[in-house]
Amino acid sequence: MRRFILLIQVMLIFMVACDVEPEGFTIRGKLSNAAGKMVFLTSDEYRDSTLVSPEGSFTFFGQIPEAEFLYLYVNPANSVLLLVDTIDNLEVNGDAEDLFNTFEVKGSKNAEAITELYEKFADRLAELRQIAPPTPDEPDSVLLAKRETAGKIITNHRDYLRNYVRENISSLAVLPALYQSFDTRSYVLNPETDYELFKEVDDSLMANHPGSKHVKQLHANLIEVKRKIDFEKSRPKDVTENAEAPDFSVPDPEGNEISLSSLKGKYVLLDFWASWCSPCRIENPTLVNAYEKFHSKGFEIFQVSLDKSKDAWVKAIEKDGLKKWKHASDLKFWQCVPARQYGVQSIPANFLITPDGKIIAKNLRGAALEQKLSEIFNK
């Protein structure tokens, strides 16, 4: 009798154990036109497959260390992207022969968000394909109309993506939206022209998913993008008279950021100098005289130093009596960002800027500076 009871207990334990699904994620669903075929679930680091039943059903059980993007397909040329978390229980249905346009996902907010994202993309793609390809004898007016139509479709999708990104900004579901493309030449959203949006995503995902390899990759990519943007801004430019004065923001001696645009409304002499530059130091008394004579009439001086040593820079300001006006430096020597923006190749160098931000004169030294200021203020 005791053996019989023990046998029953073992059988019950076995039955319960068989009824408990393994720890991890589950993906179930039905695929039409796939009976008897293999369906695959893959990523760079994960690969699984299972046989679709005669009724079209399939089931995956799997374990992943963190939320992962997995491709589901019967034919790799017609796959769908799923965002699968470690314990998700998802249902995926669709037509295996046209999975991209027919799939539906239920079971998680993230997966459903990506489904919506790809539905919108498929709709826009269908709209673009309705535009007839250009022909050799097509009038320019027709070609222009087609381009305008395509441009509106892409602009509408771009607006949708920006809204989608902000609505899902703390979720990994935001990542596919950043890299959607209608062709192989460019993305709808661009990390350079849309840098601020990408930065918002990066900040949010680094706070919410710091361990994700996808988030780490985005973060690393964005650092490179920022370097490229900064480099382009700092490239020497041919800054000519009557041109718009490029704006910049650099720390003052106290470490507070100060921008050129903060001085708009006054005539500003933007002067590049350094404590180690003898001609600059010789020119400084001229600046002091001009400031004392014209400051009350709306004249300001903004000196940007190409120093490497903060101590030497600050001492030179004190010694030459220059504390009356604004000073700034990034202490990068000849790699000084504002100097590169203005194409400064030697110092001293200066630019006289109007109250509305236009450059009206360059390299005014000695008597030439006072003469120009007299023309402006003593009319």
Side-chain angles (χ1 to χ4, degrees):
M1 184 66 178
R2 184 177 296 175
R3 287 183 180 179
F4 178 74
I5 293 173
L6 183 60
L7 179 61
I8 293 297
Q9 289 175 334
V10 170
M11 290 177 64
L12 287 172
I13 292 171
F14 179 75
M15 290 170 65
V16 170
C18 289
D19 195 46
V20 175
E21 294 179 354
E23 184 73 18
F25 69 82
T26 304
I27 301 176
R28 295 185 177 88
K30 278 195 171 184
L31 297 175
S32 58
N33 296 310
K37 297 179 180 179
M38 298 298 294
V39 59
F40 298 88
L41 189 66
T42 67
S43 72
D44 290 341
E45 300 173 358
Y46 184 92
R47 185 172 182 83
D48 197 2
S49 62
T50 189
L51 188 67
V52 180
S53 74
E55 296 77 26
S57 300
F58 69 93
T59 302
F60 284 103
F61 298 109
Q63 294 180 324
I64 47 179
E66 61 181 0
E68 180 62 280
F69 290 98
L70 301 176
Y71 286 96
L72 178 76
Y73 60 86
V74 173
N75 179 350
N78 192 1
S79 63
V80 294
L81 184 67
L82 306 176
L83 175 53
V84 183
D85 212 338
T86 53
I87 56 172
D88 270 348
N89 190 345
L90 304 181
E91 179 184 342
V92 182
N93 301 309
D95 182 346
E97 294 182 355
D98 190 18
L99 196 55
F100 181 81
N101 291 307
T102 62
F103 83 105
E104 294 180 354
V105 181
K106 300 176 183 178
S108 84
K109 182 180 178 181
N110 288 339
E112 290 169 8
I114 291 181
T115 302
E116 177 207 313
L117 176 68
Y118 277 91
E119 284 176 352
K120 292 290 185 182
F121 180 77
D123 290 344
R124 297 284 189 255
L125 197 58
E127 291 175 23
L128 288 171
R129 286 172 175 168
Q130 288 177 1
I131 302 173
T135 59
D137 57 346
E138 198 164 60
D140 290 344
S141 59
V142 175
L143 183 60
L144 180 61
K146 288 181 178 180
R147 287 176 178 171
E148 288 179 351
T149 301
K152 288 178 181 178
I153 293 170
I154 294 171
T155 298
N156 288 339
H157 192 62
R158 186 173 185 273
D159 292 341
Y160 163 76
L161 288 180
R162 292 178 69 86
N163 289 332
Y164 174 93
V165 165
R166 291 207 160 92
E167 289 173 1
N168 297 277
I169 199 162
S170 63
S171 164
L172 294 177
V174 76
L175 291 173
L178 300 180
Y179 302 107
Q180 281 199 342
S181 175
F182 289 111
D183 57 45
T184 57
R185 293 171 295 176
S186 61
Y187 295 114
V188 180
L189 296 177
N190 184 296
E192 293 182 30
T193 56
D194 296 296
Y195 175 78
E196 293 303 322
L197 180 65
F198 276 70
K199 185 66 169 62
E200 288 178 35
V201 173
D202 180 51
D203 290 343
S204 179
L205 293 185
M206 285 296 290
N208 289 282
H209 307 277
S212 168
K213 64 182 180 183
H214 304 290
V215 174
K216 290 177 181 177
Q217 186 61 56
L218 172 67
H219 186 68
N221 291 345
L222 215 56
I223 289 174
E224 291 304 314
V225 169
K226 184 63 165 61
R227 285 176 181 166
K228 183 177 179 181
I229 292 172
D230 289 344
F231 176 77
E232 289 299 321
K233 284 182 177 179
S234 68
R235 287 178 62 185
K237 296 177 176 62
D238 183 18
V239 180
T240 59
E241 293 181 21
N242 300 316
E244 190 81 22
D247 193 21
F248 58 84
S249 181
V250 184
D252 66 12
E254 286 72 43
N256 302 311
E257 291 284 322
I258 180 170
S259 64
L260 176 63
S261 58
S262 68
L263 300 175
K264 269 195 173 182
K266 299 180 180 180
Y267 281 90
V268 178
L269 185 72
L270 174 62
D271 184 69
F272 293 92
W273 74 299
S275 66
W276 45 262
C277 168
S278 296
C280 302
R281 304 292 292 273
I282 292 171
E283 191 68 24
N284 277 339
T286 301
L287 301 187
V288 173
N289 291 335
Y291 187 85
E292 291 176 348
K293 190 169 184 178
F294 297 102
H295 175 63
S296 62
K297 298 181 179 182
F299 175 61
E300 188 60 76
I301 295 176
F302 186 9
Q303 278 193 301
V304 176
S305 169
L306 275 67
D307 273 287
K308 291 190 290 184
S309 165
K310 181 178 179 180
D311 186 55
W313 169 41
V314 172
K315 285 181 178 178
I317 293 172
E318 181 74 33
K319 185 173 182 179
D320 291 3
L322 312 177
K323 296 182 71 173
K324 301 178 179 70
W325 54 75
K326 306 291 184 181
H327 292 270
S329 179
D330 55 16
L331 301 175
K332 292 183 178 179
F333 197 43
W334 285 108
Q335 296 305 310
C336 169
V337 172
R340 289 177 62 82
Q341 281 181 268
Y342 280 78
V344 173
Q345 303 295 318
S346 62
I347 52 175
N350 63 44
F351 301 82
L352 185 60
I353 301 168
T354 63
D356 61 351
K358 295 286 194 304
I359 296 170
I360 56 170
K362 296 166 60 176
N363 296 324
L364 297 169
R365 300 192 183 98
L369 175 60
E370 184 168 341
Q371 180 180 343
K372 184 65 176 178
L373 294 176
S374 294
E375 291 174 5
I376 293 170
F377 294 111
N378 297 333
K379 292 179 180 179

